[in-house]
Amino acid sequence: MVKKIKGQTLTYQNPPEIVASGSIVGPEEANGPLRDNFDLTSQDPKFNQKTWEKGEKQMISEIIGVTFDKASVTPSDVDLMLAGDLTNQITPSNFVARDFDIPYLGLFNACATFIEALNVGSMAMDGDFADCILAYTSSHYQTSERQFRTPIEYGDQYPPIKQWTVTGAGAFILGWKGGKVQITHSTFGKIIDLGRKNPKDLGSAMAPAAVDTLLQHFKDLNRGPQDYDLIVTGDLGAFGSKIFKLLLEEKNVDLQDKYEDCGNMIFDDSDKYGSGGSGPAVSAVVLGSTLIPDITGGNNNRILVIGTGALFNPLTTQQNETIPGIAHALVIEKKG
Amino acid sequence: MVKKIKGQTLTYQNPPEIVASGSIVGPEEANGPLRDNFDLTSQDPKFNQKTWEKGEKQMISEIIGVTFDKASVTPSDVDLMLAGDLTNQITPSNFVARDFDIPYLGLFNACATFIEALNVGSMAMDGDFADCILAYTSSHYQTSERQFRTPIEYGDQYPPIKQWTVTGAGAFILGWKGGKVQITHSTFGKIIDLGRKNPKDLGSAMAPAAVDTLLQHFKDLNRGPQDYDLIVTGDLGAFGSKIFKLLLEEKNVDLQDKYEDCGNMIFDDSDKYGSGGSGPAVSAVVLGSTLIPDITGGNNNRILVIGTGALFNPLTTQQNETIPGIAHALVIEKKG
């Protein structure tokens, strides 16, 4: 029997399929370059609810409904839900899970949470502990700003290095049939902290972790950039991506034109969005709306996705702590 | 091949061993009825650090060191760390994980987080994705009070129904050899919300979820109370335990003298602690210090542990939401 773990990388013997993926976004994203790719968009960041927080929950609920339909499954088919988000105590994920009669595991690795969820889900599927899994995540500009930085009404200055938290939610169904792509490997990342302290510059706090996980992934599978059609990070943004590539250059790794960052893809490069999009929803909605269709449409065969997270909160910043970064990766391939 | 999942319950074909378990507590717990059982105690709730939050991290780091020694393993033996806690963005868990060169997955199901971690860990072990796992959790009275309710300096009234967040941390090593007990089954719980709204009364918000998970576990394995030497809930406290037993009575399930609650065990019944202990650390430190030694010492052969969590935050309370409860269970047996 082939060993399933090598270093930090898992190789699935029965790779689960991504049966369906749904994406919903708010007004800023709906006006961005990927506007035509999302399943649902809204010009109302409250999604017809009384508060932003209730709007975030509403957004997740709507896209889960769409995803169930796309996958032709019903809640009673689902063995396990895996979810998490940026809000304190991941309450948007919890409050959505409350509406379903399905076992639930909450996860948190900041903006790497969705890739973490897909990795734990793939492990549960390949390990024969589940036949159908729902993974979802969300982020929300207004709820994040007031929780992590300052309420937007304060009109705080927006430095070019800062990223714009994406308002959006993604839901994926993992199963054994009906999907056109599958998850073949997962790499679980370590925390890397090079001492960055600025909560408005998360890209450079996360980039070293993305480098560490990428190099570990290559080492574990004896692979390199030539083995992938695309290597994509979650939300390093313009500035973080630059650091990511510079750090890789130091290790003599050149990704050439195969590299993208979901945070850079979701907005145009106007000053409004600073260094680009961020939040766990970025990788979820860009994967679901654009990158997976690029595979099923025949443009790519095998991509490597690296979810990136900054594991701080306002109190740790007040207590003069640095910002630890983490990155989890997974490989998505076209079904043979 | 035996099916590994039935309903919500997993049956492990290669049950992982709990190779070692460590427990550390603060001053209140160190003066309680289990005082002689903990590995480490401190009379200083800051654990020689400048802030409570840094103290919480310090406490976790210390008990992980002890647990590695008890298990005779070193960090390089560990494939994966699984951890979570109550603090926003689970920063104590993250900041401890930063000190280790080990892949890390953050989890959050409030006070059910530690049982969630052991369940995900057991799944990873039995699924052949890891050979050695470190699971840890913590909670801290002062950091929790100021985050979830009011800073203790405010002198807010302490109603008898309220529970006392335990200051403590637990660390377990899962592996294949050297342990005297093993995890044979896991049951993943659903969210149950019967509409409770009082953040000072979490026991009655969590009790219905504990009942749901217990009955599901019995159903999935065709078992009943007679199959266990002890059935223990995490932190329902005195009031929540009473509701738990009443709800079970309605279903004609009588646990007789086989039932305990970790939150009730950790403190004496003085008025000071209200309805008893709470926090993810409760089940971790009571299991590690007392319940597992009761098995290895020959008092019990097979116990069922039900971790209980209340998935709210102060903002959801302000927005008039109810408090969802969740409970995850696992079976610990003496090695044959």
Side-chain angles (χ1 to χ4, degrees), chain A residues 311-323:
Chain A
L311 302 172
F312 77 114
N313 73 21
L315 195 64
T316 61
T317 300
Q318 286 160 15
Q319 294 188 359
N320 202 30
E321 297 278 5
T322 54
I323 300 176

Side-chain angles (χ1 to χ4, degrees), chain B residues 286-305:
Chain B
V286 173
L287 264 181
S289 70
T290 306
L291 297 177
I292 290 175
D294 269 356
I295 301 175
T296 56
N299 291 335
N300 289 321
N301 271 310
R302 181 198 278 167
I303 69 171
L304 177 64
V305 185

Side-chain angles (χ1 to χ4, degrees), chain A residues 164-295:
Chain A
W164 184 286
T165 304
V166 160
T167 298
F172 283 24
I173 300 280
L174 302 183
W176 296 126
K177 56 183 180 191
K180 291 178 180 166
V181 299
Q182 51 193 11
I183 298 173
T184 57
H185 304 82
S186 297
T187 300
F188 289 121
K190 301 169 180 174
I191 292 180
I192 308 289
D193 186 336
L194 296 190
R196 307 299 299 185
K197 283 192 173 184
N198 182 356
K200 289 182 180 168
D201 169 23
L202 299 178
S204 60
M206 299 188 289
V211 169
D212 189 76
T213 297
L214 176 65
L215 296 179
Q216 183 72 40
H217 177 85
F218 283 164
K219 184 183 163 201
D220 291 343
L221 296 183
N222 195 24
R223 287 186 179 175
Q226 70 283 357
D227 295 299
Y228 294 96
D229 298 311
L230 183 73
I231 292 168
V232 61
T233 47
D235 60 346
L236 295 181
F239 189 68
S241 299
K242 210 170 277 181
I243 295 175
F244 175 71
K245 284 187 282 189
L246 281 171
L247 290 171
L248 284 175
E249 260 176 40
E250 281 181 13
K251 303 283 181 181
N252 297 313
V253 175
D254 182 1
L255 303 184
Q256 296 166 334
D257 57 350
K258 288 181 175 177
Y259 173 62
E260 297 261 20
D261 178 75
C262 298
N264 292 337
M265 294 173 72
I266 198 160
F267 293 127
D268 60 41
D269 56 2
S270 81
D271 289 348
K272 179 171 185 183
Y273 304 107
S275 185
S278 67
V282 186
S283 44
V285 302
V286 173
L287 263 180
S289 70
T290 306
L291 298 176
I292 290 176
D294 269 355
I295 301 175

Side-chain angles (χ1 to χ4, degrees), chain B residues 7 20 25 67-69 100 111 121 130 152 157 175 185 204 240 272 327:
Chain B
V25 297
T67 309
F68 275 141
D69 288 346
F100 293 100
C111 304
I152 49 167
Q157 280 220 342
H185 305 81
S204 59
K272 179 172 184 182

